[in-house]
Amino acid sequence: MGSLFSSSISLRKSVKITDDEFILLRDFIYEKSGIFVDIKRKYLFESRFSKRLAELNLPSFADYIKFLKYDSMKAAELSTLFELVTTNETSFCRDMRQLDAFQANVLKEKIDEQRKAGKLELNIWSAGCSSGEEPYTLSILLHESLKMELARWKINITAVDLSPAMIDRAKKGVYGDYAFKTTPDDIKKRYFSKDAGGWKIKPTVAKLVNFKQMNLNDSMSLKRLARSHIVFCRNVIIYFDEEMKRKVVGSFYDNLMPGGYLMLGHSETLHKISSTFKPIYHPGTIAYQKEG
Amino acid sequence: MKHLDELTAGMTLASDLIASDGRLLFKSGTELEDRHLTLLKRVGVTEVDVEAGTGDLSDDQIREIEEYVRDFFLYVDPDFAPAIQLFHLALNLTANSVAEGWELPDLNQRRATNVEHMEDLFLIGMGSPDTIVKHESELTSFPDIYFRIKEVLEDESASADKIAKIVSTDMSLAAKLIKLVNSPLYGFPQTIDSVSRAVALVGAKELSTLALGISAINYFHDIPAELVDMKTFWRHSITCGIFAKLLAGTQTGLAPERFFIAGLLHDVGRLIMFKKLPYASTEAMLFARENSIPLVEAERSIMEFCHTDISEPLLASWKFPEGLSNMINFHHNPMEFPNPLEPAIIHIADNMANAVEIAQGGMYVLPGIDEEAWEISGVKPEMLEGIVEQYKEQIDIILSAFT
Ligand SMILES: C[S@@+](CC[C@H](N)C(=O)[O-])C[C@H]1O[C@@H](n2cnc3c(N)ncnc32)[C@H](O)[C@@H]1O
């Protein structure tokens, strides 16, 4: 059979990265973001960065690493680098079983506690919020739990992500079908309105959420965040190595008020990472409590 | 319909070609040759119904296909000859699929699955491969026929008659075996209509091994369909089996039938994952797609172990023949096995299976062929095209033996 594709068509489309260059780039990414890239992903990186190198007119990865480290544009390039190394997969009501268990147990407990103490306020931190689906989902859960009473509460959901582009998108609050792949229809109908570009989150829901670009590797900035009752950090630490996991989980611990909870993604666990939290088992999730 | 001017040799008739006087000129399926074209001109036929061919693809489509296929090779060394060869084979197969009307899945289709209602039996970090397998084997017993076949397989003095009798007690197993020995997998010229004939022709040991593998597979008939598309799973397994056998056939001294079984069962650990860790398994599939990494890597990220870590205790608990077990357990890291040739063949077959599946809506990037494993396998890049051609002739018939 004849072929449409010339036999000279090459599989390689990018500049070659040497092992040394890969290690330099990998270490740089790790130092800046805590994201750890295994050498097995060398070729993946080669092709992911090749477009960027071409745009910058850089002939080799060594030049790109120099650019990242010393160029006057290096701060801006860092954002681009973050875009290239992060995965932003997310959706509204992702992991419904966990969210149900969270709402029925953790959230209920905190709401009751605050009511009893006469302090109608709640701080939640969504760390690694991607394009905003997770913190908006939390705001929706609060609307569902508190209903009319919500007006009397002071609720603050702080949502941060490494990627400035994701934070911009989150602030716009307009979503396509993909964002709703795990979302019950009635939730979508009640909390979103049809918009030219898709579905827009309603202002009442958006109002509770504050977005900030922030690096979880930057312990100093994290210290400046308000103390939280609940931290959500789902499907983020899976990209970190153990040292970075410990560091970030340590920051969450410091940020949480006594009795506060940390919620991780379905496949993440503090097993081997931290024993300071007390794991509380609910069907569908583990809530990690800071005792006290 | 194509006008006579547009016809070229090599195109295939999509329906019977009837002349204006009602005479049948050529039957549907005829591949047109130059002499046919001359004849058509002479009898005055102007329009002919031919099958869609890759010649109909637009430049844009060709570019899209190239980009699409390239995505599946992101994880592998782009300078490695066998990878380049598989890339070209995948390009052509995908172009054929598209010409036949298949639409390239868009990004959302490639990412989406809904995993919302599944419950894992073990929490991550809590169940080791051993405990997971133990839980499974305590819960469900393995088919009795399996152990009876194993017994004769191990008994050097067992007669061909005995194996034929045992297999014949399980009608569905016997039927599958007969279909398989009549398939191109064996390529016997005459029809084989009984198990005893099959034993005589294939050999007692060969046939028992085949029967053993198939009865092991039967154990997994109850995996819920909403969890994973079992059709795709088995197609991948059978494809890998066919490639393993064909690859083994290119080398001297390897018994090809064993390779079919090892290929067939190479992902058996995944079936236990589906049963015990349905949510985590689907998360691994999603994670692999989101990050353009092979499924085996994604499993390690999500569950801290991969499907070969599961197959090891699983096959041991079944007392599965050791040589076959090693091929299965080491198919992702053949060089870590002291005698790497056999697992290396499964390793290459698995990559080939992933490559041909791109044109059928496969979702995962190639895990990549280990350079040393390729070296010792003795397979050469130029052999791959012929092997894929043979696979194309065999897959549908062999697939039908399993359904
Ligand atoms: C897969 S998304 C998870 C989104 C959401 N939490 C969920 O579970 O659906 C991971 C997010 O973590 C962010 N991320 C990765 N490393 C980070 C870091 N060092 N600091 C802040 N965010 C980070 C990425 O930008 C990405 O948006």
Side-chain angles (χ1 to χ4, degrees), chain A residues 226-283:
Chain A
R227 306 282 302 270
S228 315
H229 299 92
I230 295 158
V231 175
F232 261 76
C233 184
R234 301 192 302 167
N235 309 300
V236 178
I237 63 171
I238 194 163
Y239 295 99
F240 301 156
D241 73 340
E242 288 213 355
E243 190 187 328
M244 174 71 181
K245 280 183 189 160
R246 287 208 183 87
K247 180 172 155 185
V248 173
V249 169
S251 300
F252 295 152
Y253 189 86
D254 294 341
N255 174 275
L256 279 168
M257 292 189 236
Y261 286 100
L262 168 65
M263 308 297 297
L264 297 175
H266 172 82
S267 48
E268 294 160 329
T269 150
L270 291 190
H271 180 72
K272 288 197 275 189
I273 303 298
S274 158
S275 50
T276 49
F277 283 94
K278 183 178 170 198
I280 313 238
Y281 298 89
H282 301 289

Side-chain angles (χ1 to χ4, degrees), chain A:
Chain A
M1 184 190 79
S3 170
L4 286 176
F5 302 91
S6 128
S7 57
S8 65
I9 185 173
S10 74
L11 185 51
R12 167 169 295 289
K13 281 211 78 177
S14 47
V15 200
K16 209 172 177 138
I17 192 169
T18 65
D19 281 0
D20 289 346
E21 288 166 341
F22 177 80
I23 304 278
L24 281 172
L25 183 60
R26 187 260 294 276
D27 290 351
F28 182 80
I29 292 167
Y30 179 69
E31 183 198 317
K32 294 294 174 192
S33 68
I35 296 173
F36 179 78
V37 188
D38 194 282
I39 184 119
K40 287 198 192 125
R41 300 194 192 175
K42 185 172 96 168
Y43 303 115
L44 199 60
F45 259 53
E46 219 172 49
S47 58
R48 217 180 259 185
F49 281 93
S50 66
K51 244 206 198 110
R52 188 63 194 147
L53 264 64
E55 279 164 10
L56 295 169
N57 244 323
L58 296 172
S60 75
F61 276 88
D63 292 301
Y64 183 60
I65 295 160
K66 265 190 220 131
F67 185 84
L68 278 168
K69 288 188 175 167
Y70 309 112
D71 197 87
S72 59
M73 299 290 288
K74 66 179 183 183
E77 188 57 27
L78 199 56
S79 301
T80 312
L81 177 80
F82 290 159
E83 306 299 335
L84 286 171
V85 299
T86 54
T87 302
N88 309 110
E89 169 70 23
T90 187
S91 57
F92 289 103
C93 303
R94 179 176 188 177
D95 197 351
M96 205 54 177
R97 269 173 55 80
Q98 179 189 35
L99 294 173
D100 285 343
F102 164 77
Q103 187 178 19
N105 301 283
V106 176
L107 187 59
K108 184 172 180 304
E109 177 189 316
K110 284 292 146 197
I111 288 174
D112 289 347
E113 245 175 58
Q114 294 298 87
R115 277 186 190 135
K116 234 178 248 156
K119 280 194 284 192
L120 299 189
E121 56 177 61
L122 210 53
N123 284 345
I124 301 180
W125 176 14
S126 163
C129 65
S130 190
S131 34
E133 287 86 332
E134 177 180 281
Y136 286 142
T137 299
L138 294 174
S139 175
I140 290 171
L141 288 187
L142 282 157
H143 278 76
E144 297 275 302
S145 289
L146 292 171
K147 303 199 173 73
M148 301 303 284
E149 194 193 330
L150 187 81
R152 293 195 284 127
W153 281 68
K154 196 169 150 262
I155 286 167
N156 187 16
I157 302 171
T158 304
V160 311
D161 199 276
L162 181 63
S163 153
M166 285 300 129
I167 293 296
D168 283 348
R169 225 197 274 172
K171 285 182 179 162
K172 284 201 186 77
V174 180
Y175 298 93
D177 289 341
Y178 190 77
F180 297 99
K181 65 172 178 161
T182 50
T183 315
D185 255 352
D186 64 306
I187 295 277
K188 179 171 164 186
K189 287 204 182 90
R190 268 186 290 144
Y191 294 100
F192 295 83
S193 46
K194 198 99 182 86
D195 185 272
W199 295 81
K200 190 171 170 59
I201 189 91
K202 289 198 172 157
T204 42
V205 182
K207 213 174 60 190
L208 308 187
V209 189
N210 279 306
F211 289 101
K212 275 194 193 76
Q213 191 277 333
M214 195 175 268
N215 189 341
L216 294 175
N217 197 27
D218 179 1
S219 313
M220 290 313 288
S221 322
L222 301 190
K223 282 208 172 72
R224 286 196 288 273
L225 289 177
R227 306 282 302 270
S228 315
H229 299 92
I230 295 158
V231 175
F232 261 76
C233 184
R234 301 192 302 167
N235 309 300
V236 178
I237 63 171
I238 194 163
Y239 295 99
F240 301 156
D241 73 340
E242 288 213 355
E243 190 187 328
M244 174 71 181
K245 280 183 189 160
R246 287 208 183 87
K247 180 172 155 185
V248 173
V249 169
S251 300
F252 295 152
Y253 189 86
D254 294 341
N255 174 275
L256 279 168
M257 292 189 236
Y261 286 100
L262 168 65
M263 308 297 297
L264 297 175
H266 172 82
S267 48
E268 294 160 329
T269 150
L270 291 190
H271 180 72
K272 288 197 275 189
I273 303 298
S274 158
S275 50
T276 49
F277 283 94
K278 183 178 170 198
I280 313 238
Y281 298 89
H282 301 289
T285 195
I286 308 175
Y288 292 96
Q289 188 172 36
K290 173 172 175 172
E291 290 181 278

Side-chain angles (χ1 to χ4, degrees), chain B residues 22-77:
Chain B
R23 208 156 36 100
L24 172 69
L25 290 173
F26 307 115
K27 284 187 84 63
S28 166
T30 306
E31 188 173 318
L32 294 176
E33 293 168 24
D34 282 331
R35 61 187 177 93
H36 296 128
L37 297 179
T38 323
L39 182 92
L40 292 181
K41 219 169 278 167
R42 216 172 45 220
V43 299
V45 171
T46 50
E47 289 217 308
V48 175
D49 185 14
V50 287
E51 280 179 5
T54 51
D56 295 323
L57 297 174
S58 69
D59 288 352
D60 276 348
Q61 277 177 308
I62 293 173
R63 245 191 316 278
E64 274 173 43
I65 291 167
E66 190 193 321
E67 239 173 77
Y68 182 82
V69 173
R70 197 178 282 287
D71 273 356
F72 290 86
F73 287 81
L74 286 177
Y75 195 78
V76 307
D77 180 354

